[in-house]
Amino acid sequence: MPAINYQDMLQQNIDVKMNVSDLLMYFRCPRQVYYLNRGYELIPDVTSSYIENLLLKELALAYSDIVSTYSSNDEGMINNLKIELCRVCDNIELIHPAELEGVSTKLMEDAKSAVSECIKEIAINLEFAIVQHGKEDLLSCINPVKIDPILYSSRMGLTGMPAKLVCHDGKIVPSVIKTGKYPENGVWNNDRLHVGALIMLVEEEYEKTVEYGFVEYARYGVVRKVIVRANDRRQILKIQNRVWKIKNGTMPDKKESELCEYCNFLDMCGACGIKVSLASRFF
Ligand code: SF4
């Protein structure tokens, strides 16, 4: 048997383009990574909740401006969030023209009213964070020094784009925006690995060790600090290696879930996740 040349293997892998979004897709379903890499397109199901998530992400980018003008007036925070939401709704089709092409006014209105319902809770949580940590500290966690920067690590052969970079305690750290629920404590495991992968990119870009980043749970106005440890880094490298294998042609197992119901690869994949999901509604 010929000896394995690990240096060649590493070089071969680095030649395959990989993005942090591939790792996120792997968390959702490894098979989607496989099909996308074979040239198929993943067509998003543009529902009201899809648009809602786009609106929430844009709205979250304005939280730092809203916090910086805060002056212990409940209605002030709520009104400013409402004004920002109107601005975001006016601009969202200009910011995401491809995703929102041909979307109906009804869907847009449904999404806007769903986000409007979140505003009170967002204001309560941002105000609570101001009282707990102070305005300046909160601002240093959420105020972007760069939005959507493209980062690259030649050592990892990985690119990625955090929602923003913030300057906290004099250090540049990444922050990601999530639109789902937040856990009781800390952040979800996949969110930690997401921030961890971005931290590894920031370290190479800025040539400094980074120990933590932030996750903003936009729907609730909750910001969580996440410390990334050696074991998280180990897991990220392990997952990256699995994604490399998929990109090099290994077909992964199906990961049947409710996601299958909205996945345009369902026919070729042969997953019966749709049945799982429908059955779970009845039993
Ligand atoms: S149908 Fe389900 S298992 Fe198959 S690729 Fe889509 S999400 Fe993955």
Side-chain angles (χ1 to χ4, degrees):
M1 188 191 279
I4 298 170
N5 184 332
Y6 286 102
Q7 199 53 45
D8 283 357
M9 233 168 81
L10 182 66
Q11 189 53 48
Q12 200 183 17
N13 284 337
I14 283 176
D15 289 343
V16 176
K17 288 194 185 103
M18 195 181 306
N19 195 292
V20 172
S21 62
D22 292 316
L23 309 185
L24 300 184
M25 182 171 287
Y26 179 90
F27 298 148
R28 288 199 300 276
C29 175
R31 219 172 242 207
Q32 286 190 339
V33 179
Y34 178 84
Y35 288 126
L36 265 187
N37 200 55
R38 306 249 94 59
Y40 295 99
E41 199 184 344
L42 186 62
I43 302 161
D45 198 22
V46 183
T47 57
S48 162
S49 61
Y50 178 85
I51 302 169
E52 198 182 314
N53 291 341
L54 290 182
L55 292 176
L56 278 165
K57 282 190 177 170
E58 287 304 319
L59 186 63
L61 292 175
Y63 291 168
S64 57
D65 288 343
I66 289 168
V67 168
S68 66
T69 56
Y70 173 79
S71 59
S72 63
N73 172 349
D74 278 354
E75 290 307 310
M77 173 84 83
I78 289 176
N79 287 340
N80 286 342
L81 282 163
K82 284 181 183 164
I83 292 167
E84 266 313 316
L85 178 58
C86 287
R87 189 192 59 78
V88 165
C89 290
D90 288 345
N91 293 340
I92 197 79
E93 286 173 77
L94 293 170
I95 299 169
H96 298 283
E99 292 96 321
L100 298 176
E101 195 181 351
V103 78
S104 72
T105 315
K106 162 104 178 51
L107 270 188
M108 283 298 298
E109 284 305 317
D110 288 352
K112 184 180 174 182
S113 91
V115 177
S116 299
E117 283 173 23
C118 304
I119 280 182
K120 195 168 174 205
E121 190 169 359
I122 294 170
I124 289 170
N125 286 326
L126 287 176
E127 280 165 4
F128 180 71
I130 292 171
V131 172
Q132 209 179 22
H133 304 289
K135 193 159 131 177
E136 290 314 311
D137 192 48
L138 177 60
L139 277 174
S140 73
C141 304
I142 62 175
N143 195 20
V145 290
K146 278 189 184 166
I147 294 176
D148 288 347
I150 296 171
L151 306 173
Y152 175 66
S153 161
S154 56
R155 286 181 71 191
M156 294 175 77
L158 187 68
T159 10
M161 190 169 70
K164 52 190 167 179
L165 293 177
V166 299
C167 183
H168 186 258
D169 271 347
K171 294 177 215 99
I172 298 291
V173 304
S175 173
V176 299
I177 298 174
K178 300 288 174 180
T179 55
K181 289 183 184 156
Y182 59 95
E184 206 172 319
N185 297 302
V187 304
W188 302 113
N189 193 41
N190 286 352
D191 296 345
R192 179 178 24 260
L193 296 180
H194 184 188
V195 172
L198 293 168
I199 278 178
M200 290 162 93
L201 301 187
V202 172
E203 284 177 334
E204 190 164 321
E205 185 87 20
Y206 290 87
E207 296 178 355
K208 282 214 164 76
T209 307
V210 180
E211 286 164 358
Y212 62 87
F214 293 98
V215 181
E216 281 187 37
Y217 292 98
R219 187 178 295 274
Y220 306 94
V222 168
V223 184
R224 295 265 167 92
K225 181 177 177 180
V226 49
I227 296 173
V228 171
R229 303 185 194 283
N231 194 40
D232 301 314
R233 292 168 184 260
R234 211 171 280 129
Q235 272 195 63
I236 292 159
L237 293 172
K238 206 190 263 180
I239 291 163
Q240 196 189 1
N241 201 32
R242 288 187 199 145
V243 174
W244 263 331
K245 284 187 181 149
I246 295 171
K247 283 181 172 263
N248 283 326
T250 304
M251 163 81 99
D253 289 339
K254 298 171 203 166
K255 186 177 174 184
E256 294 183 5
S257 70
E258 293 200 351
L259 195 68
C260 303
E261 198 174 339
Y262 307 99
C263 176
N264 57 297
F265 303 143
L266 181 66
D267 283 348
M268 66 181 120
C269 175
C272 57
I274 186 163
K275 290 180 197 146
V276 171
S277 141
L278 288 175
S280 65
R281 287 185 196 162
F282 293 108
F283 301 106

